[in-house]
Amino acid sequence: MSTDVTSPTGSVRPAETGAATARAFPNLALVKYWGKRDESLILPVAGSLSLTLDTFAATTTVQLDPAGEQDRFELNGHLATGTARDRVTTFLDLVRSRAGSQSRAIVRSVNEAPTGAGLASSAAGFAALATAASAAYGLELDTPALSRLARRGSGSAARSIIANVALWHAGTDDESSFAEEIPAPELAMVIATVDSSAKAVSSREAMRRTARTSPYFVAWITSTEASLTEMVAACRAGDFTQIGEITESHALRMHALIASTEPPIRYLRPASIEVLDAVVALRDAGIEAYATADAGPNVAVLTRPADAAAVATRLGEILGEDHVRVVGPGPGAHLVPDPVPPAGEAGT
Ligand code: DP6
């Protein structure tokens, strides 16, 4: 199909293409997003900044199913139900309302991140879904608009639309809250998987609890704004040491904040602390490495590309080399030609 059609609102839009496949990568925040000022629009209390990775992609095909009565979501070759399916349907409802379409869709997604590796797979997943769904339903979105759309699925997905270092502007409304690439020096990450079991409290729920119960929440917002301003300046100046110092202190502040909730939540495990100590020892030995951790026990270590192998070797001695992986800066979400095969077919 290539003819334009008139939507119910009267504007001309490209016809639904029917199917599209997109690929997106996870990102790791160097200045964290933690807390929403608007739950339904997913507007954050403060801006954040992340590195999009080159590993653990999510690939998602969206195929319109005009005869279908409900959306179908296949994840890693299995039919998804419950919350996972509901979040996809809620997201597609948003795309459908913008496209003026009633059509249900079949969504097939493959996520290359090992289960429980703590790699914000919802970020890669919703960035790929936003990119594929907007193309399949015939929405023509530029990169900021795609970032805004992905944000509605999962806040951190706004950043996975963007390559390399992404600055997510907190904004004050839907229009002003999106991510964009900013210049930065070459960075590498060493991912240390200390525990791959599922987390006890989801980020979404833990953020709510933080806003509701932590006495430190207001200080978190103001200090994050200050950290972000310093981080953006450090990125623009190419100051790796400053980038690293802000990364580690901001991550520790987030975990302190989370531990201050009622009832408390602690994501870091004893093995996480052992890795944090090893990172301090690496610095004492002259290797610049800085730790961060998302809402889980796994630790990611920011370093210069030239030092990544030495950092990986040291962390491998502690955790075993199978638990350590060097990753680099990756591309933004993009369309790809090959669809994800249906569940049950070879390769899924
Ligand atoms: C700790 O983006 O998963 O990884 O917007 O509720 O879907 P929702 O949350 P999500 O939270 C990510 C939290 C974090 C920090 C970060 O990525 O900035």
Side-chain angles (χ1 to χ4, degrees):
M1 282 192 288
S2 60
T3 47
D4 284 354
V5 294
T6 303
S7 75
T9 56
S11 61
V12 175
R13 62 180 170 78
E16 293 162 354
T17 56
T21 301
R23 198 164 156 79
F25 290 82
N27 67 77
L28 272 166
L30 310 183
V31 173
K32 306 289 187 191
Y33 148 53
W34 196 260
K36 299 177 180 67
R37 59 187 278 162
D38 185 315
E39 282 267 343
S40 107
L41 290 174
I42 311 203
L43 300 177
V45 289
S48 57
L49 181 142
S50 62
L51 180 68
T52 297
L53 308 182
D54 60 359
T55 314
F56 306 138
T59 307
T60 299
T61 296
V62 175
Q63 186 186 323
L64 300 199
D65 181 20
E69 291 190 354
Q70 53 180 10
D71 299 314
R72 178 182 170 90
F73 177 35
E74 295 171 10
L75 179 58
N76 294 338
H78 299 284
L79 186 64
T81 54
T83 312
R85 209 270 311 271
D86 294 349
R87 275 182 78 174
V88 167
T89 288
T90 304
F91 187 81
L92 290 177
D93 285 345
L94 182 64
V95 176
R96 281 188 278 262
S97 75
R98 290 189 188 176
S101 171
Q102 306 282 328
S103 179
R104 298 282 139 192
I106 300 167
V107 177
R108 299 193 174 100
S109 192
V110 172
N111 201 316
E112 292 165 25
T115 312
L119 275 164
S121 56
S122 68
F126 277 104
L129 179 62
T131 306
S134 55
Y137 280 94
L139 294 176
E140 281 189 8
L141 302 182
D142 61 12
T143 305
L146 213 45
S147 175
R148 284 182 205 110
L149 177 64
R151 191 197 78 230
R152 301 290 295 274
S154 184
S156 54
R159 300 184 311 234
S160 274
I161 294 295
I162 309 300
N164 304 318
V165 171
L167 166 62
W168 175 11
H169 302 281
T172 51
D173 56 12
D174 181 49
E175 185 65 19
S176 53
S177 188
F178 63 92
E180 64 175 347
E181 187 176 351
I182 64 158
E186 275 240 40
L187 303 171
M189 282 270 187
V190 181
I191 296 175
T193 307
V194 308
D195 182 345
S196 56
S197 49
K199 52 187 157 190
V201 186
S202 71
S203 312
R204 196 160 279 195
E205 178 48 35
M207 279 186 205
R208 285 191 193 115
R209 191 184 298 179
T210 307
R212 220 173 40 236
T213 67
S214 173
Y216 306 147
F217 192 54
V218 173
W220 162 257
I221 297 169
T222 49
S223 70
T224 297
E225 285 163 351
S227 298
L228 185 63
T229 303
E230 288 167 21
M231 180 63 101
V232 170
C235 285
R236 292 192 191 283
D239 185 341
F240 176 79
T241 302
Q242 178 79 351
I243 292 169
E245 286 175 356
I246 299 168
T247 296
E248 187 165 305
S249 83
H250 195 259
L252 293 176
R253 283 178 185 176
M254 183 186 76
H255 285 273
L257 173 78
I258 293 171
S260 75
T261 58
E262 187 60 51
I265 303 167
R266 276 180 294 119
Y267 286 118
L268 299 177
R269 308 298 309 149
S272 324
I273 305 296
E274 209 181 327
V275 173
L276 295 181
D277 284 347
V279 169
V280 174
L282 278 166
R283 285 203 295 274
D284 289 346
I287 296 177
E288 275 202 81
Y290 300 91
T292 184
D294 281 341
N298 301 313
V299 178
V301 181
L302 183 71
T303 188
R304 290 191 174 93
D307 291 330
V311 172
T313 300
R314 175 66 196 116
L315 300 186
E317 286 163 10
I318 300 171
L319 299 168
E321 57 184 46
D322 291 355
H323 291 79
V324 174
R325 174 110 184 213
V326 176
V327 301
H334 53 280
L335 292 170
V336 293
D338 294 335
V340 175
E345 286 191 13
T348 58

